[in-house]
Structures are given as structure tokens and as C-alpha cells.
Amino acid sequence: MRGRPNPLTFCLALLASLVFAAHPAAAQSILRDAETEQLLLDMAAPLIEASELEPGNVELVLINDGSINAFVAGGQAIYVHTGLIGAAESANEVQGVLAHELGHITAGHVVRFNERTKAANGISILSLLLGVGAALAGAGDAAMGIIAAGQQAAMGSFLSFNRDQEAATDLAGVRYLSGAGISGKGMIKFFERLRGNEIRAGYSQTDEAGYARTHPLTGDRIQTLRGLLEEDRAWNAEPDPELQERFVRAKAKLFGYLSEPRRTLNAYPVRDTSVPARYARAYAYHKEARVDLALAEADALLALEPDNPWFLELKGQVLLESGRPKDALAPLRRSTELTRAHPLIAGMLGHALIATEDPANFAEAEQVLRASVQRDRYNPFAWYQLGVVYEARGDIPRARLASAEVQVMNRQYPQALANAQAAEAYLPYGSADWIRAQDVALEARAELERVKNRR
């Protein structure tokens, strides 16, 4: 058995835990897929226009997480979990979620969330300090009471603020769906799915339970939203069939890529010759190194749609990752052409060109990789491949700059600073790469200072 804790020790421990709890959580794993990213952007485009945000400023980021979630964590970026795409049955459902998340952006809820967190921490810290004072005065029971009341007040204030935010954001989502002429049926269906999951998981749906929640009760949200959405002129608008087909394909692709091959083959048996099933099976076979079967599925897809850039990317990926880079060049070149040099596909083409180990291909590799990183600087794999090209031709300053780009993205700030400074010293003065080396060095130095100050 454990004795009753010393009030002063307990107060100090709580104060320490509160300070440490303020540290940011570790970054989640980002999953890059050109097709899915483009799909999310296209689904969000009319909603972004309705929200009056600048389309080019809103970013959609796919997170490799099986939970059903989407969130905004700063700036104008919406993070979508793969689990949300897997749980949704239609593009319209995902659009309902995106409309809600856009509401968080337009209302500036991330900034207000941080402000409210500080306010709640202020209440907690004040109660702890008062508790410490009472404990030092010998009033142990009073100290414990002060702490408990302070913690309850802080949590109640914080949760109430979050519930109010979510309710306001639901209404903003309704406005954006209406403005875009998109039916709200998907939003309602998705909330109903969430409520079903909550009930199966044993979460209470009563008013008393709502006090301790970060979100309003799902049943209450559905009731409010249904009343608004059913009266909207877009309620009976037909969903975009092309968008729905693209969603079903991307969903199957993600399932095949992320799931165990056995699960994929059970969900999409060989007798199913639909496009989504072939897509999922191609990735399942590729994961098991059954190259002939993976290529057979890719070729069957291309027989239906010879100029589908994503099917060409699939074939090129299977060939490249199966040790056949020369054979991968043709489909990847065509995919790059059709997508107007999408950064991820251009990066894969650059990788294939280098993997041929033919110096004659290195000039083309440099060209496509430079185009890739110019359109998407946050692609460490493309930067790494570009560094390989530079090193192979003896351009060590640019090779070190490419290494610095990779290292700063991987939070290896000391190495990034050293490589950026070395690159700057030997690059042509005033050139674009020389200026970029300065920028990377400044970023790395600033991060090192921030880490030092936290200590």
C-alpha cells in the first residue's frame, strides 16, 4: 500500500508535469502520393473558393494514421488521416470534413487554441502556486483542495472553449458547402458514422458526458446540421461522378499500399476485375515481390486507360523497385509529361535515370530533379537524388547544398549548418544556389538557437 503523498511534493510534481506537458508532440508521419494529394486538392477547391481563402495558400497533407481524423495545426494546412479516407464511403463525405476544417482556418482557431491553452495553464499554475503556499504554511488539506479546484476550473474552461469552437466551425462548414453547391448529405452521413463508432466504443451520448468532451455531443451536432443542410438548395445536388470514381480508386490504392497483402487480397479477390480491385492488388503483389502479377495488374489498368498518369506511375514504380530501372523510364517519362512534371513523379523519374548507372542519363536526371525541387522544396528524397547527380559530376558545393536541404528537413541542424556554410563558400557569389545556401544556414542556425534557449 502507498501512503498519502506529501502536499508540497505533490504540488511541485504537478507544476513540473504541467511545464513538460507544454512541449509539442512528435511530428506524425506524412504519406506522399501524387494522385491522392491531387484528389484532395480537387475535392477542396470549390470549398476553398466559397471560403474566400486564396487557393494556392491552402495545403492538403496526407497523414499515415489509421484513426478517423483530420485537423488544422497552424497556417493554412489541413492534415487528413489515411484512416478517414478508409472509413469514408464517398468523396462527398470527405468534402464535408474538409468544409469543417476550412472553418477552423478562417476563424483562426489554431491561434485562439494556443491562447486558450496559455490561459488554462495560467489558471492551473496559479492554483498550484497557491497550493504550494498553503502547504508551506502547514495547511496540507487546504493545499490539495486549492489544487483540485484550480485544475477543474482550468479544464472546464478549456473544454467549453473547444466545444464552442467546434460548434461554430460546423456552421462555417455548412456555409462553405452551400456556397460551393455541394450537398451536405456526406457531412451528415460522416457524423452518423462517427456516432456509431462512439456508441460501439462505449462512449456515452448523454448531456452529462458532454461536459467532459472536447467536441459537442455528436447527436446534437447531427440534429443541428441536418436542420440547416436539408433546407439548403444544394441538399439534393448530385455528387460529381468523376470525383467519386477517383476517390474509390485512391481509397483502394491506399488500402493496397498500407495493408498486409493477405488483407488486400481478401478484400479485393482475383475474381473482382474492377479498376479499384486491380489497383489494390497491384500494390499487394508488389509488396510480396510478385513482380509478374503486379505488372499484369498494371498492364490491365493501362489497357483500359493508356494515358492515365497514375497507372503509368504504378508500372514505373513496380519496375524501378524491382531492379529494372531502364524498363521504368518509358512509363515514368510519360507520366511526368502527362502531369506536367509533378514533383513526386519527376523525382521518381530522376531516381530511375540515376539507377540505370548510365552517365548519359545524368543530365536528364539533373533536369527533372531540379524541376521537382523547384516546385516542391520539401521533398528530401528528390534532394538526395540531386545530390547524387552533383557528386557524380564533381560539383561538390551543390552536392553539399543538397545534403543541407535534406538535413534541415530531418532536423539535423548542426550537419545542415556545416554543409550550407561549406556550399556558400564555393558557390558563385550572388547566384540562386548561393542565396539558398545562406537561407538554409540561417534556418539551421535559428533552430539551433531555439533549442539552446529552451535548455
Side-chain angles (χ1 to χ4, degrees), residues 168-208:
T169 305
D170 285 346
L171 299 181
V174 170
R175 291 198 305 274
Y176 302 152
L177 287 168
S178 176
I182 297 172
S183 173
K185 290 179 181 178
M187 177 179 269
I188 295 296
K189 190 167 185 180
F190 195 82
F191 274 124
E192 288 176 340
R193 194 184 313 285
L194 286 180
R195 181 173 61 176
N197 289 343
E198 289 175 357
I199 292 171
R200 284 191 292 274
Y203 292 110
S204 174
Q205 301 293 303
T206 64
D207 290 337
E208 291 78 6

Side-chain angles (χ1 to χ4, degrees), residues 308-391:
N308 185 305
W310 318 122
F311 297 164
L312 288 161
E313 178 197 19
L314 165 64
K315 183 171 183 178
Q317 181 181 357
V318 171
L319 288 166
L320 172 60
E321 294 176 357
S322 301
R324 296 166 59 181
K326 290 183 181 179
D327 295 333
L329 295 181
L332 288 177
R333 280 194 180 110
R334 182 59 178 153
S335 180
T336 300
E337 177 187 350
L338 290 168
T339 59
R340 299 180 180 180
H342 187 286
L344 295 179
I345 297 175
M348 189 182 298
L349 172 58
H351 179 202
L353 288 162
I354 294 169
T356 64
E357 299 181 353
D358 183 352
N361 288 329
F362 280 25
E364 183 185 357
E366 180 183 352
Q367 179 184 0
V368 297
L369 288 167
R370 283 193 72 95
S372 174
V373 298
Q374 282 171 2
R375 288 182 59 186
D376 181 2
R377 298 204 73 89
Y378 300 101
N379 187 344
F381 182 75
W383 276 114
Y384 173 79
Q385 295 297 324
L386 191 55
V388 171
V389 174
Y390 288 143
E391 187 173 7

Side-chain angles (χ1 to χ4, degrees), residues 3-336:
R4 186 176 181 181
N6 180 281
L8 179 56
T9 303
F10 182 68
C11 293
L12 295 175
L14 274 179
L15 183 59
S17 69
L18 185 66
V19 172
F20 290 125
H23 291 181
Q28 292 174 283
S29 173
I30 294 176
L31 179 63
R32 301 298 308 273
D33 176 64
E35 180 180 11
T36 308
E37 289 178 0
Q38 189 60 55
L39 171 64
L40 290 171
L41 285 170
D42 291 345
M43 286 196 292
L47 298 165
I48 294 170
E49 183 178 354
S51 72
E52 299 184 350
L53 292 169
E54 288 295 326
N57 293 339
V58 179
E59 186 180 7
L60 277 297
V61 182
L62 188 63
I63 298 292
N64 185 9
D65 190 309
S67 60
I68 305 173
N69 194 24
F71 61 93
V72 174
Q76 295 187 14
I78 299 175
Y79 297 83
V80 179
H81 285 202
T82 54
L84 186 148
I85 294 175
E89 293 181 356
S90 69
N92 187 225
E93 288 186 37
V94 178
Q95 285 179 308
V97 175
L98 295 178
H100 174 92
E101 298 305 326
L102 283 169
H104 281 302
I105 293 176
T106 55
H109 281 168
V110 173
V111 175
R112 296 180 64 201
F113 176 88
N114 291 336
E115 291 172 352
R116 198 66 183 187
T117 301
K118 290 179 181 177
N121 279 346
I123 296 172
S124 298
I125 291 172
L126 178 60
S127 69
L128 285 169
L129 292 175
L130 291 172
V132 169
L136 289 172
D141 290 339
M144 301 292 279
I146 291 170
I147 293 167
Q151 298 298 309
Q152 185 176 9
M155 185 59 71
S157 172
F158 183 71
L159 293 177
S160 175
F161 172 74
N162 274 9
R163 291 193 297 271
D164 289 344
Q165 274 195 340
E166 291 297 329
T169 305
D170 285 346
L171 299 181
V174 170
R175 291 198 305 274
Y176 302 152
L177 287 168
S178 176
I182 297 172
S183 173
K185 290 179 181 178
M187 177 179 269
I188 295 296
K189 190 167 185 180
F190 195 82
F191 274 124
E192 288 176 340
R193 194 184 313 285
L194 286 180
R195 181 173 61 176
N197 289 343
E198 289 175 357
I199 292 171
R200 284 191 292 274
Y203 292 110
S204 174
Q205 301 293 303
T206 64
D207 290 337
E208 291 78 6
Y211 177 79
R213 296 167 60 104
T214 58
H215 291 57
L217 292 169
T218 306
D220 293 344
R221 299 173 82 176
I222 292 171
Q223 185 176 355
T224 301
L225 290 171
R226 188 184 295 277
L228 294 170
L229 289 168
E230 287 183 348
E231 295 177 358
D232 186 73
R233 63 183 184 277
W235 176 253
N236 290 316
E238 291 296 324
D240 184 337
E242 181 183 352
L243 204 61
Q244 175 61 18
E245 175 62 22
R246 289 172 60 193
F247 169 76
V248 172
R249 292 181 180 190
K251 179 177 176 176
K253 176 184 185 178
L254 288 173
F255 190 92
Y257 181 77
L258 295 172
S259 300
E260 291 295 323
R262 182 180 301 177
R263 280 194 65 206
T264 302
L265 297 176
N266 285 336
Y268 298 95
V270 176
R271 63 178 179 275
D272 185 348
T273 58
S274 66
V275 168
R278 289 191 181 280
Y279 218 175
R281 286 200 301 270
Y283 278 97
Y285 291 141
H286 182 44
K287 289 174 71 173
E288 290 189 320
R290 299 162 75 178
V291 180
D292 291 343
L293 290 175
L295 289 174
E297 297 290 4
D299 286 335
L301 293 171
L302 286 167
L304 295 171
E305 300 176 26
D307 284 332
N308 185 305
W310 318 122
F311 297 164
L312 288 161
E313 178 197 19
L314 165 64
K315 183 171 183 178
Q317 181 181 357
V318 171
L319 288 166
L320 172 60
E321 294 176 357
S322 301
R324 296 166 59 181
K326 290 183 181 179
D327 295 333
L329 295 181
L332 288 177
R333 280 194 180 110
R334 182 59 178 153
S335 180
T336 300

